[in-house]
Structure formats: C-alpha cells, structure tokens
Amino acid sequence: MEGSIGLPALKNLEKLDLGCGYENGFCELRKLQTLAIINSYWNTSLPECFSELTSLKYLDISYNNFSGNISMFKNLTLLEYLDISSNSFFGDIYMLKNLKSLEYLDLSSNKFSGDISHFMNLTSLRGLWLSNNNIEIPSSLAPLFNLSKLQKLYADNNMIYNAETEMHSIDTPTFQLRSISLSCCGDGGSFPQSLNHQHDLRDVDLSNINFNGDQFPNWLLENNKKLEALYLVNSSLSGHFHLPSTSRRGLSRLDVSSNSLDGNIPNEIGAKLPSLLVLNMSNNFFGGGIPISIGDMISLQILDFSNNKLSGGISRHLPMGLLIFDVSNNQLFGDIPSSMENMSLMLTLDLSNNTLFGGIPRWMGKMSNLHELVMANNHFEGPIPMELCKLNYTLKFLDLSANNISESLPSCFSFSRLTHVYLSRNKLKGAITSFFNSNYLVTLDLSNNHLTGNIPNWIGTLSTLVYLLLDNNHFEGGIPVQLCKLNRLRLIDVSNNNLSGTIPPCLMNTISNVTSRANYDDSGYDGSIGYFSVDVPIKFTMKSISYFYKATVLTYLSGIDLSCNKLTGEIPHQFQYLRDIIVLNFSHNSLIGPIPPALADLSQIESLDLSHNNLSGNIPSRLLGLHFLSFFSVAYNNLSGTTPRRTGQFATFEESSYVGNHFLCGEPLPKNCSTNGSSSSMSKNTTDKGFIDMKVFYASFVGSYIVMPLCIAMVLYINPHWRQAWFYHVEAATMSCYYFVLDHILPKRFR
C-alpha cells in the first residue's frame, strides 16, 4: 500500500499492510481489522488514538522500535492475534487482561513486567510467547491451568519462581501443551508435576532452572510418545536416567547436560532412542562404559559424553555420520579404535583428559572435514604422522599438549585456516619448520619441549598472533626483530631457553593495548568455533608462580617473559606502548645498565621481575606511582643507593625483593643508610647518581698514581742514607735479572 493513497479511500479498509512504513492517519481507519507493520524500525511511540481501532482482529507490529506503554491496547477487545515482539514497549502486562478473544499473543523481546496470573482469564489462548522480558512466572504454571486451549508456551529469560505454597482454584491443568520453553534462571522448587498430566508434548526446554536436586523426570519420556526435543540443561536434577518402556522414534534431540545424574548410561539407549540427532549427557556423574548400542543411532550427529566418570575403551561401534564426538574429561583408556577411520564427516574430535595411549593414527588424515582435533592430557606417543598434513585446508584447532609425542614437527604442517595450536609438554625436538603459512593463527604454544635452533623470522608474518609461548625449550640466537611486526600480541613467553644478544627496543612497542580474545572463527574473535568452545589453559608465570590461565582470564592478561636466558645489553627505555601490560619478567639474564625510569609508565603492571642481572645505579623513585604492582624484585644485581620509600604498594615488598645488592641500603634491608649529618645529602646524591660517584672515583684513582711517585722522590732527596740504599737495591735487582736472562733464556750463540 503506497503512502500516497488518500485517507478517505482508506476509511473502509479492512486490511492494511504497512511493511514499508505508514506513519499518519491511524485514527481515520475505524473499520480496519488487519494491520501489519513489520520490520520497519519506526523509532517512535504509538499514537494514543490507536485505541480507537476497536475493529482490529489481527495486529502485527513486530520487529520495530516502538516504545512506550501498551495502555492503548486495552480497548481492542476483538483482537484474536497480537504480535508486538522485538520492540521497546514497557509496563505491566495487566493492561491486556481483558483481551479475552486473543488466540495468539506474542510479547517477546520487550521490557514488560508483572505476573503471568493476569492472563488467567484469556481462555481462548492457543499460543503464548513471552520470552526476554521481566515477567514473573511460577514454575508450576498454576495461573494458566484453566486455559484449556493453550498448546504453546514460550517464556524463556523471564523471572521463574517457586510458588508451591500458593493456592489455586484448579489443581491440575486443563490444557495439553505441545511446546513449553521456560529456559532461564531462578529457583523453581520441585520439578513441575503439572507436566505429569501432559501426554502430547513435542518440545520441552526447562534449562537453567534450579529444581533443588529433584529426581530426573523419567516420566516425561514415558508419558509423551510424540516427544521430539527434550532440554533439561543445568537444572539441578539428580538420580538415574531411565529409558521409556517403548521406543521413541520421534525424539531427535536429548540434552540433559550439567546436572548431577549418576549411574550408568543405559545399554539399550540406541534401541530405545534410535532417531537421535543430538545426544548430550555431559557434565554429570555417569559411570560405566560407552554403550555399544550407540552405534545403532544411525542419524546421530552430535555425541557429547564429556566430563563424566566413564571408563573402559572407546566403543568400536559408533555411528559413521558423527559430526561431533566429545568424550573428554573421563577415565577412558586404550587406543583409538580403527573403526573410526571411515568417519569422514567428523568436524570435532575431543578425546582430551583421559588415559588413552598408543600412537596418533595415520588414518586421521582421511577425516577431510575435521576442524577441531583435541587429544591433550593422555599418553599418546610417537611422532605426529605426516598424513595429518592432508588436513591443511580444514583444521582450525589442534591440541595435542601434555602427551609423550616425540620427533620433529612435520615440515608440511602449514595449515591455512589454523587458529590455535597447543603442542606444549611433549618431547618434540628439532627446529620449527611448520605453521609458516598459518596466517590466521591466534595461539602458538610450543612450550616445554626439546625444540632447538633459532626462533624463525617468519613468525613475524603471522599477523593475527595473540599468544606466543616458546618457553622451556633449547632455542638459541637472538630474539628476532620480526616479532615487532605482530601488533596484536598480548603474551610473549620465551623464557628458559638459550637466547642471547640484546632485547630489541621495538619489542616494547609490540604488546597490544586492545583486549583480544583467545578464540577465532571466520568472522573474528567470539569465544567459540562453531559448536566447539575454546577454553584451553595456557601456562604462564606471574608473580613468580606459574598458573594455568583459561581463555576467559587470558582476555585480560598481557605480558612479556624473557627470563632465564643469556640476554645482554641494557633494558630498552621506551615503554609508552606498554601501558596496559600486566607482567614483565627480564630476570636471570646478564642485562646491564640502569633501571629505566620509564617503567613507571606501565600504569597497569602487577608483576615486575628484574632480578638476577647486572643492573646498576639506583632504583627510580618514579616507580612509587605503580599502584597495581603486587610483585616486585630487583634482587641480585649491582644496584646502589637507597630503597624506595615504603609507601603505597612498595610498603608490601619485603627484603627478598632487594637482597643481593651490596651497595643498596634502607628498609626493608638490614643495612641502614648513613645516619650522620651528611645523610640527607648522601641520600639525595645517591638517588640521582647511585651510591658511588664514578667521576670522583676515576679522578682520585689518577691522582693517587701521580702523588705516589712524587712522595718517593721527595723522601730519597731529603735522606741520603735511604737514597744510597735505594740505588744499591735497584742495582742489585738489575744485575740479578741480567744474569738470569743470560743463563736461562738467551741461546748459547748469543752469550
């Protein structure tokens, strides 16, 4: 309907679609029965005269930016369909309590409040959508029991509460629901027994509600033969999981993860639930083995048994169409069965944190669609097979850390889509010849291996790199200046190697001040790669203690660790680009020169370790301005002067922070500075130039060599006896040296 049509021509219209927007003239359309203004993003409120459209039966103004309260709707008593979802309306829902002709009501994604009991008289309702508001809904659903026609209820992300003590005129529901979704939060009391009267349910989602450890409602599966999807995630349920007495061929999705369910997974699960596409029973306390009947679920695509207490081996009878197979964090043992060789559709394979052993199978190279391969914390051994190079165009995530993998990295490892590599805590050796074409790499963790050679210059071409961990290897040579090109870096750890040379000054300009996430997908950093969540811990030393940090913490951590190498030269003096750095560790090297006062520019630093070097001069007083510093050490250097005043964070540092500096004095060291009248002068002088003035030292040294010969000459001139004795001894010494050379050194022909 074009906006140019005159209002007189519209007065008798019964249907008006303003999908492209029609802003004026509503008050003239008194006989209008159908009005749709969808996805037009009107940034306004509805006119008050909207309440005069009393003939309306169908009203859809969803996906706009309408705001204000909804008082104008209370007179539209003929409405049968009302959809005002995805707007910015607010107010109490009691305004709608008299719309008794409503059959479909959608208030989702607004800012409504009030109690759902206001709808108890809307007896014509068939579908009710309330998601993403602040409406109070009892988990029992008792206020809706008399809505006999109600079939669909979607009320996710509201305020679910326990109302077991409330009295209602009807004890059992008169409705037979097909779909119910209350996923959100809050204390739901006992699991709603009203659902025990439902026999026509297709979709159920009661996730993230605290049901106080109530027993798992196995009767839901037993009573509802048409059930298609059941989600009871993080619902504080306990007890055993039982199968229905007969097969449920319509059930395609079952997710009971993150509860306290125990016992064994029933052996007949594949026979009773043969049509499952998704089976998620992770984060429970299931024991026993993986049922063999899982292999009978020929349609199964996602199987997640992670974080349980499963034992035994990996079943050799698994569905060939699996896309995601996650059995991480269990007690499984044995090798990887060769029956998995033909799972060519696999996207994610997670076997981490078990006690699996054997070699990495060569046939994994046939999993041509594999995106994530996670096998960390097992007992796998032997080399990484060359066949994995066939995954160069698909693999995004590789975690083989904490195994016994040996030999060198395959040179063909050049994954073009790889974003995360975790190969730490293995026995890898040789030089780094892999990953040089991995232009989307975010994390490269090769720490705690036996790698040798130089840190390759091509690492500087990995422009998306955020975390670089090469510590605890045998790398040598210098720190390549090419690292300075990595402007997204948040963490560099090359500690405990044999690196030499100076610290590249440009390295101080490398650490990014922009918070970066340790995860990547095709569109950027977002916390997951498809179904797979990136939360692998990274080991990093902070405050002299090594911790494992997961991605959620790594987001806020930045640092440089060059400790335990053979670095020389001075510490670079430019730190203006490191203002947000948290950790700086240059300890256990051979660095010289003063402590740069510019370190005071690191306003967010929490851990600063410069110990075990050859630094000289004073400790800059400007460091007192580091208000977040909780670990500080300059121990075992050649520092002089006084320690910083014990104020602010520096009042918390003990003797161990300064020990091993022989010319350093002041609290908390036991050595007191001078207490005589010149102490103040000395303190000021040492604060600026150190404890020893080197110019005075050199002048006195030269002067002493001039004065000493003059004193000897003067004494000999005054005392003739001493002068005679002096020349006698000089002559005797000269003759002795002459005859010694003549008898023992010169050849006979020269005598």
Side-chain angles (χ1 to χ4, degrees), residues 273-288:
L273 308 176
S275 303
L276 282 180
L277 297 174
V278 177
L279 175 58
N280 190 346
M281 306 180 82
S282 63
N283 292 288
N284 282 287
F285 300 100
F286 289 115

Side-chain angles (χ1 to χ4, degrees), residues 613-618 634 636-640 660-664:
N613 280 286
N614 297 316
L615 301 175
S616 58
N618 70 297
V634 290
Y636 298 100
N637 280 283
N638 296 321
L639 299 173
S640 55
N661 293 279
H662 299 299
F663 298 104
L664 200 60

Side-chain angles (χ1 to χ4, degrees), residues 477-548:
I479 299 174
V481 295
Q482 285 79 4
L483 293 184
C484 301
K485 299 178 181 179
L486 303 176
N487 55 14
R488 293 192 181 185
L489 271 180
R490 297 280 293 168
L491 213 60
I492 305 174
D493 190 351
V494 294
S495 61
N496 291 280
N497 281 286
N498 296 315
L499 299 175
S500 57
T502 60
I503 301 173
C506 61
L507 194 64
M508 302 299 103
N509 302 333
T510 300
I511 299 299
S512 172
N513 289 334
V514 180
T515 301
S516 302
R517 294 192 177 272
N519 15 65
Y520 181 87
D521 69 356
D522 291 336
S523 60
Y525 299 89
D526 77 337
S528 62
I529 304 176
Y531 172 87
F532 183 73
S533 177
V534 178
D535 202 16
V536 178
I538 286 179
K539 189 177 183 180
F540 188 70
T541 300
M542 179 175 178
K543 303 176 184 179
S544 194
I545 302 175
S546 294
Y547 296 97
F548 282 95

Side-chain angles (χ1 to χ4, degrees), residues 227-328:
L227 197 62
E228 298 175 1
L230 176 59
Y231 296 96
L232 296 174
V233 181
N234 191 31
S235 299
S236 300
L237 298 171
S238 61
H240 296 349
F241 174 80
H242 295 296
L243 294 169
S245 56
T246 57
S247 175
R248 294 289 180 267
R249 295 188 175 276
L251 188 65
S252 61
R253 291 170 172 81
L254 175 62
D255 192 339
V256 294
S257 59
S258 300
N259 285 288
S260 298
L261 304 179
D262 54 19
N264 293 349
I265 300 173
N267 289 328
E268 305 84 12
I269 189 170
K272 294 294 182 67
L273 308 176
S275 303
L276 282 180
L277 297 174
V278 177
L279 175 58
N280 190 346
M281 306 180 82
S282 63
N283 292 288
N284 282 287
F285 300 100
F286 289 115
I290 299 175
I292 297 177
S293 64
I294 291 289
D296 297 331
M297 300 177 177
I298 57 175
S299 301
L300 194 63
Q301 296 179 353
I302 298 176
L303 177 59
D304 192 346
F305 286 158
S306 62
N307 293 284
N308 280 286
K309 297 181 178 180
L310 299 177
S311 57
I314 299 175
S315 175
R316 280 160 168 71
H317 186 44
L318 293 172
M320 291 295 104
L322 275 179
L323 303 179
I324 297 171
F325 181 49
D326 189 348
V327 290
S328 60

